[in-house]
Amino acid sequence: MLDHDQPKSFALDRQHMVALQLRARGIRDERVLDAMARIPREEFVPQQFRHQAYGDHPIPIGQGQTISQPYIVALMLEALAIQPTDKVLEIGTGSGYLTAVLAELSSHVYSIERHSSLAQTAERVLAALGYRNINIVVGDGSKGLPAHAPYDAIIVSAAAPELPLAMVEQLRDGGRMIIPVGSTQSQELLLVRKQQDETVLKHLEGCRFVPLIGREDPAGE
Ligand code: SAM
């Protein structure tokens, strides 16, 4: 049985996660696999759940929110095909784990989170790990973050009832966005590509995310 009082090396868990949850399920992007093989996911998980940090499932992080399942993180990042020169917007910082992977893959990451306590914890962990190419903003990202647009890529880690056109407008020409769209019961991951005046949509697969809360939502604060 695992002794939670003893410091534990997570290196083997990390290797197993990459091999069994990512490669074995078809993730092929070596930059994504390499980043996820290096980032200490356990640092982004509350102490009482650290022993589950590399589990094949989401984990509670407080405020009723979760750190996403590793496979869904890798699937979204592979579909977005982030380039080292890209400026990226992330909606829903949560624990900051996906923010760290984005920071490894891109030039700069803007990330917006509506819960200030989650944003502060993520900021502290990311700074301690040495990331300097991240700006975390506390606020409502349901309409993107126009102040720093246009973006090469936008990644949304919470489900919108429909495609938010304000976010599509913040993509540069050739930019990509990935977002879960649907009800609380049934959602689909959509890959959006902006090409000149056209918006091209690709349906990826079914998924289940916490809802994207807008100011106008009854659940919003
Ligand atoms: N990718 C994150 C990680 O690695 O931990 C998980 C994000 S969690 C599934 C979704 C996050 O979106 C939550 O932290 C939630 O508070 C945030 N969120 C929901 N609606 C939001 C909004 N309108 N603006 C900003 N953040 C929002």
Side-chain angles (χ1 to χ4, degrees):
M1 207 177 114
L2 197 65
D3 181 351
H4 299 303
D5 293 335
Q6 292 300 313
K8 173 183 185 308
S9 165
F10 289 97
L12 200 58
D13 292 359
R14 204 173 301 128
Q15 279 175 30
H16 286 160
M17 173 195 80
V18 170
L20 304 177
Q21 298 174 34
L22 310 185
R23 278 192 198 279
R25 288 197 188 124
I27 302 295
R28 292 288 173 264
D29 185 326
E30 290 298 333
R31 292 184 67 234
V32 171
L33 292 166
D34 177 61
M36 292 181 70
R38 281 185 289 111
I39 296 170
R41 186 172 159 88
E42 66 276 11
E43 297 296 331
F44 297 89
V45 171
Q47 192 64 40
Q48 69 270 33
F49 295 118
R50 275 198 169 194
H51 61 291
Q52 299 180 22
Y54 293 89
D56 191 13
H57 48 76
I59 300 169
I61 54 171
Q63 305 291 347
Q65 306 302 321
T66 53
I67 176 173
S68 308
Q69 178 196 22
Y71 171 69
I72 202 84
V73 169
L75 182 78
M76 291 172 92
L77 290 169
E78 182 167 70
L80 265 185
I82 292 170
Q83 302 302 306
T85 52
D86 280 356
K87 179 170 81 174
V88 180
L89 172 64
E90 176 188 32
I91 312 289
T93 317
S95 69
Y97 174 72
L98 173 54
T99 324
V101 191
L102 289 168
E104 295 277 346
L105 299 175
S106 69
S107 159
H108 198 92
V109 185
Y110 291 95
S111 184
I112 181 162
E113 169 56 55
R114 62 188 287 274
H115 286 291
S116 58
S117 61
L118 294 181
Q120 278 165 18
T121 304
E123 207 160 34
R124 185 172 38 74
V125 174
L126 290 163
L129 290 173
Y131 290 102
R132 298 285 177 266
N133 58 340
I134 296 170
N135 283 96
I136 295 184
V137 176
V138 176
D140 175 15
S142 58
K143 294 187 172 58
L145 184 61
H148 301 286
Y151 303 98
D152 299 287
I154 300 178
I155 185 163
V156 187
S157 298
E162 53 196 34
L163 184 63
L165 295 180
M167 285 187 206
V168 179
E169 277 167 21
Q170 290 165 38
L171 284 175
R172 72 157 177 79
D173 187 31
R176 295 88 57 209
M177 170 163 113
I178 193 152
I179 179 167
V181 173
S183 65
T184 47
Q185 302 308 320
S186 158
Q187 305 157 10
E188 212 177 351
L189 265 185
L190 284 188
L191 179 64
V192 180
R193 178 176 288 274
K194 192 167 167 182
Q195 278 172 219
Q196 291 165 355
D197 290 335
E198 268 187 66
T199 302
V200 182
L201 297 187
K202 188 173 171 192
H203 294 250
L204 296 184
E205 56 182 75
C207 58
R208 188 132 187 208
F209 279 83
V210 295
L212 181 73
I213 308 287
R215 268 191 214 103
E216 63 277 20
D217 283 308
E221 283 157 3

